Amino acid sequence: TIMQIITELGAIYNDSPCSLSTLSVEQIKAIRQVITFKYLDLPCNVEFEYGNPELDNFEYIKKRYFQDNVLLISADNNNSELLPSNLNLWLRAWHDYIHISNNYLFGFKGEFFAYLKHIEGQSDVFKQVLFSEIVLQTAYFETFGTFAETQKIVLLPISEIDSYIAEIKRSK
């Protein structure tokens, strides 16, 4: 079932060491470049806010987006070694734009389908990194009821990611 997969992925994220050091400088630059281009290509205004719990509410975000053409993004917990400073916020903006424009609710299934949109036409390394950033971190949250104290990059082999993608698509 989907809950078994989520629990398994949450445990993988919890138990695995950080793999960030295995990425080359060129790979990191390429990932950062994709995020920059995708952010700059967003067809809306973006505002970053601190301490607004409404930013976890899909309907609130969606209403503000369609009402004001403004995408509101939480600036809280913005601590990523891979994506320092604005880059992590820009990934969040691109990510939430995918949610809103495709009507993918927040929660594991919505995060998973947003992940699939993110990786269209991207490299295997990008696919691995965003699997960690989106799917594994969401599974951790769903499993343990809180976000991981320290965000980390857990790079699973592409074949394993592909297997999980197929399994999640099949699951109910």
Side-chain angles (χ1 to χ4, degrees):
T1 66
I2 191 68
M3 284 312 299
Q4 291 169 318
I5 298 168
I6 292 169
T7 302
E8 184 178 320
L9 291 172
I12 288 170
Y13 186 80
N14 186 57
D15 298 343
S16 298
C18 182
S19 325
L20 182 58
S21 64
T22 65
L23 294 175
S24 71
V25 171
E26 292 78 23
Q27 289 171 319
I28 291 171
K29 281 183 183 176
I31 290 163
R32 291 173 175 176
Q33 196 67 55
V34 168
I35 291 165
T36 299
F37 287 150
K38 293 295 186 175
Y39 173 76
L40 294 174
D41 199 37
L42 290 176
C44 59
N45 296 311
V46 179
E47 292 179 10
F48 301 98
E49 293 184 9
Y50 289 96
N52 183 351
E54 285 293 331
L55 299 182
D56 292 332
N57 179 333
F58 179 79
E59 291 304 321
Y60 173 79
I61 301 271
K62 184 175 162 180
K63 179 182 175 204
R64 287 292 310 273
Y65 175 76
F66 286 109
Q67 176 181 304
D68 305 325
N69 196 38
V70 171
L71 187 57
L72 299 177
I73 303 298
S74 173
D76 297 331
N77 304 311
N78 185 34
N79 52 354
S80 167
E81 284 185 59
L82 175 67
L83 304 172
S85 187
N86 289 347
L87 283 167
N88 196 50
L89 295 176
W90 292 356
L91 174 60
R92 287 182 187 180
W94 175 31
H95 181 74
D96 282 3
Y97 175 77
I98 289 172
H99 274 283
I100 298 300
S101 61
N102 292 281
N103 207 34
Y104 295 149
L105 300 178
F106 297 151
F108 187 82
K109 281 282 195 173
E111 297 298 326
F112 172 73
F113 286 108
Y115 163 75
L116 293 180
K117 289 285 186 190
H118 276 289
I119 64 169
E120 289 175 356
Q122 301 300 331
S123 70
D124 282 352
V125 171
F126 193 85
K127 187 176 180 179
Q128 289 172 294
V129 167
L130 284 207
F131 193 82
S132 179
E133 288 283 288
I134 298 170
V135 179
L136 291 180
Q137 285 188 28
T138 301
Y140 181 96
F141 179 82
E142 297 278 331
T143 302
F144 298 102
T146 185
F147 287 106
E149 202 169 302
T150 304
Q151 286 184 334
K152 60 185 173 181
I153 300 296
V154 175
L155 301 177
L156 299 180
I158 286 297
S159 59
E160 200 172 323
I161 291 172
D162 288 339
S163 293
Y164 277 117
I165 287 171
E167 194 175 350
I168 294 166
K169 284 181 176 179
R170 283 193 308 271
S171 68
K172 300 288 178 217

